[in-house]
Amino acid sequence: MANVVVVGAQWGDEGKGKIVDWLSERADVIARFQGGHNAGHTLVIDGTVYKLNALPSGVVRGGKLSIIGNGVVLDPWHLVEEIRAIQEQGVEISPEVLMIAENTPLILPIHGELDRAREEAASKGTKIGTTGRGIGPAYEDKVGRRSVRVADLADPATLEARVDRALQHHDPLRKGLGIKAVNREALLDQLRAIAPEILRYAAPVWKVLNEKRRAGKRILFEGAQGALLDIDFGTYPFVTSSNVIAGQAATGVGIGPGAIDYVLGLVKAYTTRVGEGPFPAELNDADGERLGKRGHEFGTTTGRKRRCGWFDACLVRQTCVTSGVTGIALTKIDVLDGFETLKICIGYDLDGTRLDYLPTAADQQARCTPIYEEMPGWSESTEGARSWAELPGNAVKYVRRIEELINCPVALLSTSPERDDTILVTDPFAD
Ligand code: IMP
């Protein structure tokens, strides 16, 4: 049986919700392997809108096992609230359908406070534009070996020791930022109160997943954010604090890399980014405004307006390599309807030299100017097309050109937010 990893191949917000939902219907297990509640997935099922941040998209479909893997950082209070909200919408959540890896590090209130305090204190040019949800500080504590993890909630003495270890680091840090010391007792009380609500879902996820795999179950690894926000391969330091690329699916749940059969890269037919950082093909003109308006480009989690630009084939070619993408799902092509001319960034000019990738050094990134190729647009609507025959000729040419430029075939083409408005070329789950 095939196991599929879905990763964003740009800066996130590629329209994962719909594709992940479409794939999760075909899967038995859906696992999150990185990120936290900085992600925001909107699912529309039979007219009902579900908003998810930390929960895997599979939870809204009955009969699936949803997993939060150890690669995630988990805010327990947010999770309980998210569960409550979707339960109110009639979705059943129980330990039979949701499991949380015991070795998942927790996001504590102190992480969010630190994240926001740092952003407020940052000078122009150093602000990251984070979601303010404590993701970075929680990952810092993980690699600093001072996290409180899910399993620690079960034993009062361990919990106290873990909290003390974390506060040894955080109190001096907070003092430097002018934030008052942590109220240790209040934090412990909060943790003790939430503990049973989290522990009921705690499980040795690595073991469960490997058993599922041996039993021939189909696993969908649901990535959040996008490969250009990857801590190693993204536009550092304007990135998130986890590995986003497909290789993380293995370490983020505890399964061997050989378990991954297909990597589906999510690619929007143009480019967007939320937050600060380099964006060579950004448009600060009427075309950019038009993409944002037509594409409803506002953040699901923070409501921030997304920056918009032409399709950057150079960057997507790069992320298809770093994530080992097998095929892409191309989304939101209908947003391009009506443009007379379309541009695709095919490389960069750096001080007179042509580059076919984005260099790593920040000063060089800043000096890279996009080299564009122009293509004729189309006046007809592509919205809702369900076959190639329904697409205007120039739209087909645009898609084919993208495939050539990124060296990767289109497996799925999405033509509207409706789940059935999809042109299927290759089913990633097919054996
Ligand atoms: P953090 O993940 O909150 O630390 O934010 C770091 C960067 O990642 C910021 O530029 C955020 O806007 C961006 N980011 C985090 N999560 C998402 C997402 O789900 N979609 C798009 N951008 C995101």
Side-chain angles (χ1 to χ4, degrees):
M1 278 296 173
N3 297 322
V4 178
V5 180
V6 172
V7 286
Q10 292 154 316
W11 277 290
D13 309 313
E14 296 91 354
K16 275 185 225 82
K18 166 181 159 174
I19 304 292
V20 165
D21 175 46
W22 188 88
L23 288 168
S24 64
E25 206 180 18
R26 289 159 175 74
D28 302 297
V29 183
I30 296 96
R32 280 279 308 265
F33 57 88
Q34 50 72 231
H37 65 311
N38 48 351
H41 291 173
T42 306
L43 304 179
V44 186
I45 299 176
D46 299 331
T48 308
V49 180
Y50 301 94
K51 290 203 181 286
L52 304 177
N53 294 121
L55 285 168
S57 299
V59 290
V60 296
R61 302 220 157 259
K64 314 282 176 190
L65 173 62
S66 288
I67 284 188
I68 295 180
N70 54 279
V72 168
V73 281
L74 182 71
D75 180 326
W77 299 276
H78 188 281
L79 183 79
V80 167
E81 181 50 34
E82 207 178 312
I83 291 175
R84 190 198 54 74
I86 69 159
Q87 276 176 330
E88 269 178 14
Q89 290 186 285
V91 176
E92 244 182 80
I93 306 283
S94 69
E96 279 69 52
V97 297
L98 176 66
M99 287 183 190
I100 305 174
E102 295 160 318
N103 48 347
T104 305
L106 299 183
I107 302 179
L108 305 177
I110 54 177
H111 294 130
E113 285 165 23
L114 186 58
D115 191 0
R116 294 186 292 274
R118 280 177 177 158
E119 284 284 280
E120 271 164 34
S123 54
K124 200 173 162 2
T126 62
K127 233 182 247 305
I128 307 286
T130 70
T131 58
R133 298 199 155 184
I135 307 297
Y139 276 116
E140 285 169 40
D141 279 359
K142 171 178 173 169
V143 294
R145 294 164 291 197
R146 52 176 178 266
S147 284
V148 178
R149 307 200 301 177
V150 166
D152 302 329
L153 294 170
D155 177 53
T158 309
L159 184 59
E160 283 198 37
R162 291 281 191 266
V163 165
D164 285 339
R165 195 181 168 97
L167 297 195
Q168 255 180 18
H169 173 82
H170 279 271
D171 276 337
L173 197 58
R174 290 163 71 92
K175 201 170 174 193
L177 282 160
I179 318 172
K180 64 177 189 312
V182 181
N183 182 334
R184 176 183 183 272
E185 286 317 308
L187 176 58
L188 278 167
D189 282 347
Q190 276 179 291
L191 284 164
R192 287 183 203 112
I194 203 79
E197 298 194 60
I198 296 298
L199 287 170
R200 61 194 298 255
Y201 303 109
V205 153
W206 61 273
K207 189 167 180 292
V208 173
L209 266 184
N210 281 276
E211 282 160 8
K212 294 282 178 197
R213 187 179 167 223
R214 275 208 303 278
K217 302 293 181 195
R218 292 170 158 190
I219 307 168
L220 175 66
F221 298 91
E222 178 183 354
Q225 290 87 44
L228 294 169
L229 290 169
D230 182 274
I231 186 74
D232 287 299
F233 293 100
T235 44
Y236 191 91
F238 302 99
V239 291
T240 191
S241 294
S242 62
N243 278 115
V244 173
I245 58 171
Q248 172 64 18
T251 43
V253 297
I255 207 161
I260 298 166
D261 303 291
Y262 193 103
V263 178
L264 184 70
L266 265 281
V267 176
K268 187 148 53 180
Y270 49 100
T271 315
T272 62
R273 145 159 234 179
V274 219
E276 307 301 318
F279 183 172
E282 182 170 14
L283 290 170
N284 290 306
D285 60 8
D287 285 340
E289 281 293 317
R290 179 167 164 183
L291 288 172
K293 208 171 259 171
R294 287 198 57 130
H296 309 291
E297 297 295 353
F298 294 91
T300 329
T301 304
T302 59
R304 288 179 291 174
K305 195 173 171 190
R306 296 178 185 142
R307 299 155 65 192
C308 298
W310 295 119
F311 184 75
D312 191 332
C314 197
L315 283 178
V316 175
R317 185 166 58 231
Q318 196 163 326
T319 56
C320 281
V321 171
T322 53
S323 270
V325 171
T326 323
I328 66 162
L330 189 66
T331 64
K332 299 185 92 166
I333 186 144
D334 53 299
V335 173
L336 301 179
D337 293 354
F339 274 96
E340 208 170 300
T341 307
L342 299 169
K343 288 187 185 176
I344 301 180
C345 174
I346 53 168
Y348 307 110
D349 179 285
L350 176 65
D351 308 331
T353 304
R354 190 181 171 130
L355 296 182
D356 65 354
Y357 70 101
L358 188 68
T360 302
D363 63 311
Q364 294 187 358
Q365 286 184 351
R367 292 202 309 282
C368 275
T369 53
I371 299 170
Y372 286 118
E373 180 176 287
E374 286 196 0
M375 291 194 74
W378 52 90
S379 53
E380 306 90 323
S381 168
T382 60
E383 198 181 334
R386 294 182 184 188
S387 69
W388 291 104
E390 289 174 57
L391 291 179
N394 282 349
V396 176
K397 281 189 192 146
Y398 183 75
V399 176
R400 293 300 181 216
R401 186 65 187 137
I402 285 178
E403 287 181 312
E404 271 172 18
L405 288 168
I406 66 169
N407 292 326
C408 201
V410 167
L412 293 159
L413 189 66
S414 166
T415 56
S416 96
E418 291 297 320
R419 55 184 280 117
D420 293 330
D421 293 343
T422 304
I423 301 174
L424 177 65
V425 181
T426 311
D427 182 349
F429 274 120
D431 293 319

